[in-house]
Amino acid sequence: MKKNLNSEYHRGKWNERVVTELPLFKLWPSVKKCTMANANGSPFFDNVKDSIEKNGMRFPILVVQSDYAELVKQKARFKQGMCELPTEEDFTGFTVWGGSNRFWVAKELGYDTVDVVIYKTFQNAWNDQHLHRKPYKEELYT
């Protein structure tokens, strides 16, 4: 049986965008799991994982659907801030561009699919990332 990490917006809309499910194996996480501590000394990833285990996932993961050439442009822009690129043959066209730690939590907890919102451009996904962070500013980002 398929195990989906649902968001509070499952099968609805978030920020006027349709929320859908995608299999984890189709997603390429653009950044590594954040194991660094936040300002209060607590490991960021562990806090995200604990929050999801206790309360579920609030927001869908932000995903950009693009071709490989566009992904290469983003890598040139962000350099070491991004993971090493997959090969063009292995790239599925779906890049996690907001919520990478939620992706890693889903993977670690054995989920098969996860709620996502799909964007056409990296810039639009980037512009919406702050909407995910705002409610957790004190809990996760300070």
Side-chain angles (χ1 to χ4, degrees):
M1 182 158 97
K2 162 177 100 160
K3 186 176 173 188
N4 184 56
L5 180 54
N6 297 334
S7 69
E8 288 182 10
Y9 300 87
H10 183 64
R11 294 195 176 132
K13 287 189 173 187
W14 174 80
N15 199 29
E16 299 182 21
R17 296 180 182 272
V18 174
V19 175
T20 190
E21 297 172 27
L22 281 178
L24 289 176
F25 74 85
K26 284 194 173 189
L27 301 176
W28 179 73
S30 58
V31 297
K32 295 178 182 176
K33 182 186 338 179
C34 180
T35 57
M36 296 177 6
N38 58 16
N40 68 14
S42 209
F44 183 79
F45 176 80
D46 292 343
N47 288 340
V48 172
K49 183 178 175 187
D50 290 346
S51 176
I52 288 173
E53 286 181 311
K54 289 176 188 165
N55 308 309
M57 186 171 73
R58 184 170 186 183
F59 298 117
I61 292 174
L62 309 183
V63 171
V64 178
Q65 185 174 16
S66 74
D67 61 20
Y68 193 74
E70 186 58 37
L71 183 63
V72 170
K73 287 181 191 175
Q74 297 304 313
K75 178 66 173 172
R77 178 178 177 199
F78 291 99
K79 300 177 180 31
Q80 296 303 312
M82 286 176 64
C83 293
E84 289 302 312
L85 296 181
T87 64
E88 190 168 2
E89 296 77 33
D90 289 338
F91 181 57
T92 63
F94 295 104
T95 302
V96 175
W97 207 248
S100 292
N101 282 286
R102 286 176 279 142
F103 166 87
W104 292 116
V105 167
K107 193 167 177 104
E108 192 170 294
L109 295 178
Y111 286 93
D112 301 303
T113 61
V114 66
D115 277 2
V116 303
V117 171
I118 300 173
Y119 290 79
K120 299 279 185 212
T121 70
F122 286 92
Q123 189 60 53
N124 287 345
W126 176 270
N127 291 345
D128 282 352
Q129 286 181 5
H130 76 282
L131 298 173
H132 281 192
R133 293 182 179 134
K134 188 176 181 177
Y136 296 99
K137 188 170 182 169
E138 290 185 26
E139 181 184 348
L140 298 174
Y141 294 96
T142 56

